[in-house]
Amino acid sequence: MSWLEVEKKTVIVTGGSSGIGAAIVKELCHLGVKVVNTDLQEGTFEHENLSFIQTDVTSRVSVEQAVKSTIDMFGKIDALVNNAGINIPALLADTNQLDSPYELNDALFEKMVNINQKGVYLMSQAVSRYLIKEGAGVIINMSSESGLEGSEGQSCYAATKAAINSFTRSWSKELGKLGIRVVGIAPGIMEETGLRTASYESALAYTRGKTVDEIRAGYSQTSTIPLGRSGKLVEVADLVVYLISDRSSYLSGVTINVAGGKTRG
Ligand SMILES: NC(=O)c1ccc[n+]([C@@H]2O[C@H](COP(=O)([O-])OP(=O)(O)OC[C@H]3O[C@@H](n4cnc5c(N)ncnc54)[C@H](O)[C@@H]3O)[C@@H](O)[C@H]2O)c1
């Protein structure tokens, strides 16, 4: 038996096919946790402890089916990691050009809010209905340092993350008395994931009046990140392991920065 004793747990990870979610899935599987990856498409990692249920977190029908299938397969859920998310940089108003592709529009707004905020609500509601019956469990919301600080060129994304920080605080008050903990993780600048596409980097550079090379240099500068490097995906996964374990039994209602000292929020 290990210090964390997570071996017998069953955990749903949304968006576990890529990036941070994939790192979480991998680490939990290696620790003996039964992991259900709920993503739009299956990832490349395979493991005897890993199951995949194709899920769109923005769809109530899809989410409720995924939760029901998990309980049918494993008989229980111990934790939910709301990790699925997207980030499309866009300015509130672009004064440089008319019909700018880098200006926030209704479609971009609705897409980010649907996946990053509504998806967290739908998954958390479906899972908490089950956890309440058990009187135990953990919900982990993947936020972002930008949700605490705000972010130039990423206002809508940052707002969705601030919204889920608020979900974390409110749900911890509603669910705490029922034995359920709700915690958030706010990663800062991390190693490359599926989120950091060429179009993401060029849009972010445009919105900040910088070149893509200048944006890339910021991934490891001590002037922005005191520890002077991007975060490793496994450094988020390590925190997830602690948070699903009973060793963190008095932690609830908070969002923890994993940002190398960058966050002031
Ligand atoms: N990468 C970073 O530097 C960073 C920093 C702070 C916070 N985050 C947050 O971490 C989380 C993971 O980001 P990442 O960088 O690993 O991104 P990623 O693009 O590598 O992975 C996101 C995953 O979510 C899935 N997904 C997207 N829409 C979905 C939907 N509707 N239903 C189900 N799954 C869906 C994608 O298919 C993908 O597998 C996000 O919530 C993101 O906001 C990332």
Side-chain angles (χ1 to χ4, degrees):
M1 201 58 97
S2 70
W3 185 75
L4 288 162
E5 294 182 8
V6 291
E7 296 81 4
K8 294 194 175 69
K9 294 195 186 280
T10 299
V11 177
I12 296 178
V13 180
T14 71
S17 297
S18 171
I20 293 174
I24 294 167
V25 162
K26 203 170 178 181
E27 182 156 332
L28 292 180
C29 283
H30 287 150
L31 289 170
V33 175
K34 297 277 184 267
V35 182
V36 178
N37 172 23
T38 52
D39 199 308
L40 293 171
Q41 71 275 314
E42 197 161 6
T44 51
F45 176 69
E46 291 176 13
H47 196 278
E48 59 180 353
N49 290 333
L50 178 62
S51 306
F52 172 72
I53 302 175
Q54 187 172 37
T55 310
D56 178 354
V57 296
T58 69
S59 155
R60 175 173 289 280
V61 173
S62 178
V63 159
E64 288 180 351
Q65 186 56 50
V67 173
K68 183 179 178 305
S69 301
T70 303
I71 293 166
D72 289 348
M73 274 192 291
F74 299 104
K76 63 168 188 155
I77 301 169
D78 296 292
L80 163 68
V81 184
N82 281 310
N83 165 79
I86 54 161
N87 181 1
I88 307 166
L91 290 166
L92 177 63
D94 187 353
T95 49
N96 295 325
Q97 50 178 316
L98 284 174
D99 297 324
S100 169
Y102 299 116
E103 195 170 277
L104 199 54
N105 58 45
D106 295 357
L108 283 183
F109 181 91
E110 277 156 25
K111 193 169 180 185
M112 281 188 268
V113 169
N114 266 331
I115 297 172
N116 295 3
Q117 188 178 349
K118 186 181 174 194
V120 170
Y121 141 65
L122 290 176
M123 282 299 305
S124 300
Q125 185 173 62
V127 171
S128 65
R129 283 177 177 152
Y130 166 78
L131 298 179
I132 285 167
K133 283 191 226 149
E134 299 299 305
V138 187
I139 296 173
I140 299 173
N141 294 327
M142 196 58 68
S143 180
S144 162
E145 177 237 350
S146 67
L148 298 159
E149 276 218 45
S151 180
E152 184 182 4
Q154 305 186 109
S155 61
C156 183
Y157 172 76
T160 63
K161 296 302 187 179
I164 70 166
N165 294 345
S166 188
F167 279 162
T168 298
R169 288 190 288 267
S170 299
W171 293 342
S172 76
K173 294 180 201 294
E174 291 180 20
L175 300 175
K177 52 191 170 233
L178 304 168
I180 298 157
R181 295 186 291 115
V182 187
V183 277
I185 299 178
I189 296 174
M190 305 305 291
E191 298 177 317
E192 191 164 348
T193 67
L195 194 147
R196 197 186 291 165
T197 58
S199 65
Y200 165 84
E201 282 187 314
S202 53
L204 190 62
Y206 178 87
T207 61
R208 294 185 178 175
K210 290 185 174 174
T211 63
V212 168
D213 284 344
E214 285 168 337
I215 289 287
R216 287 182 184 157
Y219 298 152
S220 58
Q221 275 166 351
T222 46
S223 56
T224 31
I225 311 168
L227 288 183
R229 64 172 174 86
S230 304
K232 299 181 184 126
L233 305 187
V234 74
E235 290 174 320
V236 176
D238 286 343
L239 179 57
V240 169
V241 176
Y242 175 66
L243 291 176
I244 66 164
S245 83
D246 296 341
R247 294 284 177 178
S248 62
S249 50
Y250 204 49
L251 257 178
S252 193
V254 289
T255 295
I256 301 168
N257 305 328
V258 184
K262 179 171 185 281
T263 309
R264 294 180 296 275

